[in-house]
Amino acid sequence: MSAAPASAQVDLAALKRRHLLGDVVEAAGVALRGRGRVRQAVCPFHQEQEGSFTVYADSERWYCFGCGEGGDVLDFLQRLEGLSLPEAIRRLEAAPAPPIRATPSSRPAPPPAGPARDPALLTAAVRHYADELRGSREARAYLASRGIPAGAAVRLGLGYASGRGLRRSLEGRGFSRERLQNSGLFTGAGARFAGMVVVPEIAGGRVRWLAGRAIDPQRSPRFQALPGPKPVLGLGQLGAAPPWAVVTEGLFDWLVLARWGLPACAALGTQGLERIVQALRGCPRVFIAFDSDEAGREATERLAGLLGRRAACLSLPPGIVDVAELAASAHGRTVFEHLLTRAARAAV
């Protein structure tokens, strides 16, 4: 009964402006790298060495590509100290900015720089993953259940990581141990994408980035990606100046649209939307097809504001959360193409 009054009496927007996320994170002992709009650190919520924890100054949100946690400054406090929302609000209200001073002994060492991209090695890894997908009935069944049949999986360069044999395969192709160590494909626990369907970002015929999705619904984290800045997934297949494109939110949203042959890319979340605008600066019409939840609706409004007259916003049918779910429904592609037409007319 106390949760509602605690937040109702507080101007949360003003509270967050007084306590910027980056200040709170650093005061809590998390060493952020960089001084720009996107900053990264070793995640305080799971064991890692790569620096997957990312703070976005433009939206005052954070997300970890290793464990999948994310949110705003209040979510950070709740997760860090095990607080309820009212407790996190009171904690922030009572503290001078920045709050939560950490002792020097609790402050972690600065994170190492993210690994440099190695397209030749990543391309070889994707060939290995493709071979493993052909040998995994379970992984192929998972993809089919998500609307991606075998032929589309091959065309899109998808693979599967069993967690076995990758290091030996790459060493057999002549890659040194040092290159493997710096690739981001391995962690202290083993192969990064073990048990996951692997999705590549391909540009110029070479793999530039990788993300994975666990096929076991009980697996945590469900999502993994190479450490470092995330790309606009699918951008390498759009060309320099496509006449129109669809921007969607998640991995499988993009995979479905690519399977349908539509010019599409994925933001891979709702943060850092300015990079979408920059990436599609030569595209005269951008259709936004984010999830229908609160975060997706807010991101749609933000991105539409950044795009201006170029934006056309899709509204998914009632009860449909995302594009991937729509694809699983009867006549999903027909419905989506109707939504595109309607959004284009509304944007004129």
Side-chain angles (χ1 to χ4, degrees):
M1 297 297 294
S2 62
S7 59
Q9 299 171 3
V10 177
D11 185 340
L12 293 182
L15 183 65
K16 293 176 185 179
R17 285 194 297 271
R18 290 197 302 271
H19 300 275
L20 296 180
L21 175 60
D23 293 339
V24 173
V25 169
E26 289 192 306
V30 179
L32 290 170
R33 182 173 68 250
R35 287 285 177 257
R37 180 180 56 81
V38 180
R39 305 172 69 190
Q40 292 185 302
V42 170
C43 182
F45 304 132
H46 79 289
Q47 295 295 319
E48 66 157 358
Q49 298 295 324
E50 293 80 11
S52 303
F53 181 86
T54 308
V55 170
Y56 300 93
D58 57 349
S59 59
E60 287 293 306
R61 307 277 294 184
W62 60 274
Y63 182 76
C64 177
F65 290 95
C67 65
E69 296 286 343
D72 61 11
V73 66
L74 292 171
D75 295 309
F76 177 79
L77 287 183
Q78 290 180 79
R79 183 75 172 79
L80 186 72
E81 298 195 347
L83 305 176
S84 66
L85 177 58
E87 289 171 336
I89 292 171
R90 288 194 291 268
R91 180 80 168 83
L92 214 55
E93 281 189 296
I100 320 171
R101 295 293 172 182
T103 62
S105 60
S106 69
R107 190 175 295 273
R117 296 290 179 256
D118 190 338
L121 187 148
L122 295 181
T123 301
V126 164
R127 294 191 184 113
H128 175 84
Y129 295 142
D131 289 340
E132 291 205 294
L133 179 60
R134 285 190 289 270
S136 174
R137 181 179 302 175
E138 183 182 14
R140 295 197 309 274
Y142 172 76
L143 284 172
S145 74
R146 301 296 304 269
I148 311 297
V154 171
R155 179 169 58 85
L156 295 169
L158 305 188
Y160 173 68
S162 69
R164 301 180 300 274
L166 176 62
R167 186 182 296 274
R168 182 172 61 252
S169 173
L170 293 174
E171 288 179 346
R173 294 173 184 265
F175 294 100
S176 68
R177 292 186 178 181
E178 182 179 4
R179 287 179 74 175
L180 297 184
Q181 185 66 30
N182 293 332
S183 68
L185 294 173
F186 302 95
T187 70
R192 177 179 297 278
F193 298 113
M196 294 184 168
V197 166
V198 183
V199 182
E201 166 65 5
I202 301 174
R206 286 194 155 193
V207 177
R208 310 290 175 174
W209 184 80
L210 291 172
R213 180 75 175 183
I215 64 175
D216 180 358
Q218 304 304 315
R219 169 78 178 270
S220 180
R222 296 291 308 282
F223 176 85
Q224 276 275 16
L226 289 181
K230 61 182 175 181
V232 180
L233 182 62
L235 188 65
Q237 301 180 33
L238 288 180
W244 62 277
V246 182
V247 180
T248 190
E249 193 169 322
L251 275 180
F252 276 90
D253 300 329
W254 175 75
L255 287 173
V256 164
L257 295 181
R259 175 209 160 192
W260 288 344
L262 299 177
C265 57
L268 299 175
T270 59
Q271 308 302 320
L273 298 179
E274 289 182 353
R275 65 196 173 87
I276 305 294
V277 179
Q278 177 67 16
L280 296 176
R281 60 189 178 278
C283 183
R285 173 63 71 206
V286 180
F287 294 90
I288 306 172
F290 281 0
D291 295 359
S292 61
D293 57 14
E294 182 178 356
R297 291 192 298 270
E298 291 178 355
T300 296
E301 292 181 5
R302 294 200 308 271
L303 182 55
L306 293 170
L307 288 166
R309 294 173 62 87
R310 294 191 294 143
C313 303
L314 276 70
S315 295
L316 295 174
I320 299 295
V321 175
D322 55 28
V323 172
E325 184 177 345
L326 176 62
S329 63
H331 311 294
R333 178 172 182 173
T334 300
V335 172
F336 188 80
E337 290 174 345
H338 173 71
L339 295 176
L340 285 175
T341 301
R342 189 165 65 184
R345 289 172 178 168
V348 172

